[in-house]
Amino acid sequence: MSIRTLDDLLAEGVSGRRVLVRADLNVPLDKQTGSITDDGRIRAVLPTLSALIGAGAKVTVCSHLGRPKGAPDPQFSLRSVAGRLGELLGAPVHFATDTVGDSARSTVDALGDGEVALLENLRFNAGETSKDEAERASFADQLAGFGEAYVDDAFGAVHRKHASVYDVPARLPHFAGRLVLREVEVLSTLTGEPERPYVVVLGGSKVSDKLAVIEALLPKVDRLLIGGGMCFTFLKAQGHEVGTSLLEEEMVETCRNLMERAPGKILLPVDVVAADAFSPDATHDTVRADGIPSHRLGLDIGPETVAGFAAALKGARTIFWNGPMGVFEMAPFAHGTRGVAEAIAGSGAFTVVGGGDSAAAVRALGLDESSFGHISTGGGASLEYLEGKTLPGIAALEN
């Protein structure tokens, strides 16, 4: 890639200069209290921000949070994120109560050298996500006015053609932050010539969400392990009844074709934890994957499957994991995800956790993050990169 990096910007000198940083601060919030439940994405941008602050830049950070409808919505405010970011940086973060209005302008104008401001949620402005080029361009013009240089450190958003990701870099000297650079370096090893055996673990709800990445990876991997809700469509394709488990009937034939194209390469569960209802209190037990009762739904892979998956992971030299093995948010159905995650962590391979729910599971289950080679901050972005798609945010940095 021909992308200028944060180190290139620092070499030019940033003391006293205004730098606009696109971060991914889209953290999960507790619905009752509004408090941050996982600050992993805030921590991920600290190396870039700390380097700029230490070099004396006047730093303005912008991000989205959630999916507001192009207008202010208090439940998606970044105010609490500003507080947590300040705690982690060890310095106050000045908060603008709008994106490009009076508060944003006065807050940015008041910054001293080495100080940081955070703008309110970008998606409170319809121009951020607009499909209308002119509307998006107008918003990008206003955002670009807050910087003399632009740094993209929001890997979780680079697959979006949004104003702050795609249009602003065309208006300012632009650079890749530490996080974006690391993400691209790691994922490029998976699309190049990874060390073998190369094993991929996929989970999550729907085959349709992962079909493109399965198609892209199947010729390249040595084993593909399938868990999570998506496994039931594959089991159905094998002719098994799946009870009331999550099923994409329209994808059954596709799954059958995938297994026929790569005989022996796709490994499916042999047992599952089946429950009477989608509830942590539901009656449940472990059943054979080909014997799920008609009134029950599978909510996790079973212990025999965990052991089989662990055996398949042992000896691997490269592992990519995206998607939980079950409904890990409910304690009775978290054992599969924990068991597979521990097997990945202890494999001795170069391991990449593909962001999204997988990264959330690592932290929610209290697993040691340092035991994984890389935990991506962008689930959708990492999958699209592996699919071989052009990511708008990366393309904008290359231009």
Side-chain angles (χ1 to χ4, degrees):
M1 293 188 310
S2 55
I3 290 179
R4 290 183 296 173
T5 70
L6 178 66
D7 288 337
D8 294 322
L9 175 59
L10 294 173
E12 292 179 4
V14 294
S15 181
R17 295 176 65 192
R18 302 202 304 183
V19 178
L20 180 66
V21 177
R22 177 50 159 105
D24 179 9
L25 306 178
N26 184 29
V27 294
L29 302 176
D30 184 279
K31 290 182 180 178
Q32 272 70 48
T33 66
S35 59
I36 298 166
T37 59
D38 179 357
D39 65 2
R41 283 178 169 158
I42 303 176
R43 292 178 179 275
V45 77
L46 294 180
T48 288
L49 295 184
S50 296
L52 288 167
I53 293 166
K58 300 176 179 180
V59 182
T60 298
V61 182
C62 59
S63 176
H64 72 285
L65 192 157
R67 295 187 177 184
K69 306 298 183 182
D73 185 337
Q75 68 174 317
F76 296 117
S77 174
L78 282 168
R79 184 179 290 278
S80 62
V81 173
R84 182 58 180 151
L85 180 59
E87 291 173 2
L88 293 170
L89 288 172
V93 170
H94 306 283
F95 183 63
T97 57
D98 54 27
T99 55
V100 290
D102 292 342
S103 177
R105 286 191 293 271
S106 61
T107 301
V108 173
D109 287 345
L111 284 176
D113 295 359
E115 291 189 340
V116 181
L118 175 63
L119 305 180
E120 184 54 286
N121 192 336
L122 290 168
R123 292 185 183 176
F124 284 3
N125 190 305
E128 169 67 358
T129 61
S130 178
K131 297 289 193 296
D132 182 278
E133 300 278 345
E135 186 178 19
R136 218 174 54 237
S138 175
F139 185 50
D141 287 341
Q142 295 175 82
L143 281 175
F146 294 141
E148 298 164 67
Y150 168 88
V151 176
D152 189 347
D153 216 27
F155 182 75
V158 294
H159 60 316
R160 306 296 188 193
K161 194 175 181 180
H162 291 171
S164 65
V165 175
Y166 182 76
D167 299 280
V168 171
R171 290 156 170 77
L172 292 171
H174 44 270
F175 306 83
R178 296 262 160 85
L179 173 63
V180 164
L181 195 63
R182 172 64 176 162
E183 294 271 15
V184 172
E185 287 175 345
V186 167
L187 292 172
S188 65
T189 65
L190 301 183
T191 57
E193 294 294 332
E195 284 194 61
R196 296 186 177 279
Y198 176 23
V199 181
V200 169
V201 183
L202 292 181
S205 301
K206 297 180 178 180
V207 177
S208 54
D209 290 343
K210 303 285 171 69
L211 179 60
V213 80
I214 293 173
E215 295 271 9
L217 291 175
L218 199 54
K220 301 178 180 180
V221 304
D222 296 292
R223 300 300 298 274
L224 177 60
L225 317 184
I226 303 287
M230 62 189 290
C231 79
F232 299 106
T233 303
F234 278 92
L235 291 170
K236 183 74 171 179
Q238 286 187 323
H240 304 316
E241 290 303 321
V242 297
T244 59
S245 305
L246 186 63
L247 176 66
E248 289 183 283
E249 192 71 54
E250 71 281 5
M251 297 298 296
V252 170
E253 186 60 31
T254 299
C255 292
R256 185 177 295 116
N257 291 337
L258 288 168
M259 290 186 286
E260 289 173 353
R261 277 167 45 193
K265 188 178 278 192
I266 296 176
L267 193 60
L268 297 175
V270 295
D271 61 344
V272 301
V273 180
D276 289 342
F278 189 85
S279 166
D281 303 319
T283 300
H284 61 275
D285 53 25
T286 302
V287 301
R288 301 299 301 173
D290 58 0
I292 301 172
S294 61
H295 66 288
R296 287 194 160 186
L297 71 162
L299 295 178
D300 195 11
I301 59 173
E304 190 175 335
T305 299
V306 171
F309 282 12
L313 292 161
K314 190 175 183 180
R317 298 303 304 152
T318 305
I319 298 171
F320 174 72
W321 168 37
N322 180 276
M325 298 293 98
V327 188
F328 73 91
E329 299 90 345
M330 300 180 187
F333 313 115
H335 302 295
T337 301
R338 177 183 293 280
V340 170
E342 289 174 344
I344 292 169
S347 66
F350 173 60
T351 56
V352 179
V353 180
D357 287 341
S358 312
V362 168
R363 290 187 277 268
L365 296 175
L367 302 172
D368 182 3
E369 293 183 50
S370 67
S371 61
F372 300 90
H374 178 71
I375 299 178
S376 178
T377 55
S382 63
L383 289 179
E384 290 195 17
Y385 191 96
L386 295 182
E387 290 167 23
K389 287 186 177 179
T390 297
L391 305 185
I394 300 300
L397 294 176
E398 290 178 319
N399 291 335

